[in-house]
Amino acid sequence: MTFSLSQASAPHHPRPVASAVRQSMRRSLPRRFIVAAFTAFLGGAFAFWVTCHISIAGEIPGIAGKADTVIRAESAVAGLCVALFVMVFENRAVTECLVYSTGYAVTGARTVSGHHPLPPGGLKRSALCVRLLAFALGGTLGISVAVLWAAPPLPETLLIAAAIVAVDLLVARFALPRLRAAREQWRADQLRLARIDAIRSHGVHTTATVQEARFLRSWLDDQPVFELTLRTSGPEVSTFNIRYADYPRWAPQQGDEFDVWTDGAVSDADADELVLERRRAPSRPAGDVKHLRRPSGGSDGPDTGPYEPTWATAIERNTSRARILHLVSCVLAGLATLATLALSLIAWMLFGPSRWWLVLLLAVGCISALFMTCRLIRIRIRPRRVVSAGAPLGMPGLVAAFAAFAGLFGIVFSWVFVFADELALGPEGRLVGIAAMLCLFSAAVGFIIELGTAGFVMPVALTAMRRAARAPAAPVDLVHRALYAGEPAAARLEHDYGIVVGAAMLR
């Protein structure tokens, strides 16, 4: 994918990808926003319902008269913290989609892993605003249900209603103007991309050579950032600087070439009308670029930054370990699904409809675990779809683990209150013990799979595609060119090696 000079000038960083990958990211954007809003809505509704009911009625829903002040306070704080965690987690799934859909980014907060790319301008806070609005609406629903359930006196009801309206108005006052600004920024960026494509197709073409490549001692998603001085060739010579980031294996160096298109003379071109695309970059030996890899984060931080992306390692190395890990993960995810289902049935048998919220929570965990299992199986059955779509596996695993852990807490908590006078282990005690073990197992499996998916998705998918096409391993440099520039490298890659490039390779 090409990018303009304005997208590569400080404080911006170009994030070029092939046109097909960009279109895939753009198509997945509404779905990612919907998932982000839905999780925030559920988190807000559940947290504020439980918190408000405890505050008004002085009891856990369905456990009348059994909660004291300490338990009420701890439950309220825990509910709000969990809801906020769910609202913020995997916000990056939306922001990375926005970054690659617009073609450039700005640097986010500095961490031990370097800077994270953020969408430019008004798009930067769009995901947060959507989640915040959904969280506020969910909280309004949760508080309303709690008020209807507990039926407090009329003055207290009016006070709660006034507080809800005030908070919702403040959230709307904060979020809606920023969402309007994000919409305008999105439209402007899409018009800019259309203009870039038009200039590339019909503009005046020349080349530019890298005269100097200065490493800025910063990293963007584990990729070293450079400031390049480019000098155009031809009768009209012009010099300009850009910022560029890539993995150390393809780090830019003096002598590299860029294709340049303009709508007229290079010296007179506007920053939005000077379009660049890096020509195929040869791999650099690992020993020559060791200084470009992100330093280790220490004993409790991340390892040294990667020399190459995961998909490149998957192509060149033995993938038997990844295939075994994938098989084990499929089995564990299936067992987690069955365990969470059994746990919800046990909760229903123990407590009946009085704990409907607990059964509902466990049902959500069961559905999430089943969804995660199907996605894991699809990596081998439909690898092209997995690579092209790039849908993250992390959220289903986290939801399953969270629901299982919350279910464990709910069952044990309810059991203590309901059977407080019968602490001797009987049939109920054995059932609760079994439920606790199943729930702990589900939570552990969910977190293991959620944290371990990145290690085997690419190796398994690429191996399945290559075996289906009965083709040899593809050259890594050709895959790199197809991922970031598209045609004709992508067509050759699919024809000769049976491999398609997609959004999943960008992680």
Side-chain angles (χ1 to χ4, degrees):
M1 174 186 169
T2 51
F3 56 91
S4 66
L5 179 60
S6 63
Q7 292 177 323
S9 302
H12 300 144
H13 299 267
R15 306 300 284 167
V17 290
S19 179
V21 179
R22 185 183 70 195
Q23 294 296 334
S24 175
M25 280 286 195
R26 191 181 300 172
R27 287 192 300 269
S28 70
L29 190 58
R31 173 176 52 80
R32 297 195 186 197
F33 266 112
I34 290 173
V35 171
F38 184 67
T39 55
F41 179 83
L42 288 182
F46 186 78
F48 279 97
W49 168 58
V50 175
T51 302
C52 188
H53 188 94
I54 293 172
S55 301
I56 295 173
E59 61 184 28
I60 306 295
I63 309 178
K66 296 289 187 177
D68 58 19
T69 304
V70 176
I71 294 177
R72 290 200 299 271
E74 291 180 350
S75 300
V77 173
L80 290 175
C81 290
V82 168
L84 290 172
F85 176 76
V86 171
M87 184 180 71
V88 173
F89 183 79
E90 281 218 345
N91 193 56
R92 196 177 174 193
V94 177
T95 58
E96 76 166 7
C97 195
L98 287 170
V99 164
Y100 287 111
S101 296
T102 56
Y104 68 114
V106 297
T107 54
R110 183 180 181 87
T111 66
V112 292
S113 299
H115 293 282
H116 290 309
L118 293 177
L123 293 172
K124 186 184 301 184
R125 296 183 179 88
S126 57
L128 175 63
C129 290
V130 169
R131 285 177 177 266
L132 191 60
L133 281 173
F135 186 76
L137 291 176
T140 301
L141 176 63
I143 293 174
S144 302
V145 172
V147 169
L148 292 175
W149 188 323
L154 181 61
E156 189 174 349
T157 302
L158 294 177
L159 182 62
I160 293 174
I164 292 174
V165 172
V167 171
D168 286 347
L169 288 176
L170 287 175
V171 171
R173 180 69 180 84
F174 173 82
L176 291 180
R178 286 164 175 79
L179 288 178
R180 285 193 291 267
R183 182 181 61 184
E184 297 301 322
Q185 178 75 41
W186 173 262
R187 291 176 176 175
D189 285 332
Q190 296 310 304
L191 291 175
R192 182 184 291 114
L193 289 175
R195 179 62 176 162
I196 289 173
D197 291 339
I199 292 175
R200 189 186 188 282
S201 300
H202 307 292
V204 179
H205 175 260
T206 185
T207 59
T209 305
V210 177
Q211 301 295 306
E212 184 180 3
R214 294 182 295 278
F215 177 39
L216 299 181
R217 299 296 303 172
S218 64
W219 290 264
L220 194 67
D221 262 2
D222 289 328
Q223 299 177 7
V225 179
F226 294 85
E227 185 174 1
L228 307 180
T229 301
L230 303 182
R231 182 182 178 90
T232 60
S233 58
E236 186 179 359
V237 177
S238 180
T239 303
F240 50 89
N241 294 333
I242 66 170
R243 288 192 173 189
Y244 196 84
D246 205 339
Y247 283 96
R249 180 166 183 165
W250 298 283
Q253 57 185 328
Q254 186 177 3
D256 286 354
E257 291 186 328
F258 282 74
D259 288 305
V260 181
W261 294 269
T262 59
D263 202 21
V266 175
S267 57
D268 299 331
D270 184 79
D272 282 332
E273 296 182 347
L274 195 153
V275 177
L276 303 101
E277 183 178 281
R278 188 183 182 189
R279 289 192 169 182
R280 181 174 178 177
S283 297
R284 299 177 62 177
D288 295 348
V289 293
K290 189 174 182 180
H291 64 288
L292 300 178
R293 300 176 66 177
R294 174 186 47 76
S296 170
S299 59
D300 57 347
D303 295 332
T304 304
Y307 163 66
E308 59 189 4
T310 305
W311 58 261
T313 306
I315 289 176
E316 293 188 330
R317 297 184 183 177
N318 187 6
T319 59
S320 58
R321 179 176 177 273
R323 292 196 297 272
I324 294 174
L325 179 61
H326 173 254
L327 179 61
V328 172
S329 298
C330 290
V331 174
L332 291 180
L335 291 176
T337 304
L338 295 176
T340 314
L341 176 61
L343 190 58
S344 60
L345 295 176
I346 290 174
W348 181 265
M349 288 188 297
L350 279 175
F351 310 116
S354 64
R355 306 297 186 281
W356 61 267
W357 53 272
L358 179 59
V359 178
L360 178 62
L361 186 65
L362 292 170
V364 171
C366 181
I367 294 173
S368 300
L370 178 62
F371 185 62
M372 179 175 58
T373 305
C374 294
R375 280 194 172 181
L376 287 169
I377 295 174
R378 194 174 64 164
I379 294 174
R380 187 178 293 272
I381 297 177
R382 300 186 64 186
R384 287 171 173 255
R385 177 62 179 167
V386 171
V387 173
S388 298
L393 288 166
M395 182 56 83
L398 185 78
V399 171
F402 164 71
F405 178 78
L408 169 65
F409 175 80
I411 285 181
V412 173
F413 192 79
S414 300
W415 178 71
V416 168
F417 279 111
V418 173
F419 301 109
D421 297 330
E422 302 174 6
L423 291 180
L425 287 179
E428 296 86 0
R430 288 193 291 271
L431 283 176
V432 170
I434 295 173
M437 294 302 295
L438 289 173
C439 203
L440 282 174
F441 174 76
S442 301
V445 167
F447 275 114
I448 289 172
I449 296 175
E450 188 273 325
L451 295 174
T453 50
F456 62 77
V457 171
M458 278 298 102
V460 172
L462 292 175
T463 302
M465 282 190 288
R466 179 173 57 83
R467 288 186 174 181
R470 302 180 184 276
V476 173
D477 289 343
L478 178 62
V479 179
H480 179 263
R481 177 67 179 172
L483 180 61
Y484 292 101
E487 301 290 350
R492 179 189 166 193
L493 185 68
E494 185 172 4
H495 180 270
D496 294 345
Y497 302 97
I499 291 178
V500 297
V501 294
M505 290 183 170
L506 298 175
R507 296 187 183 87

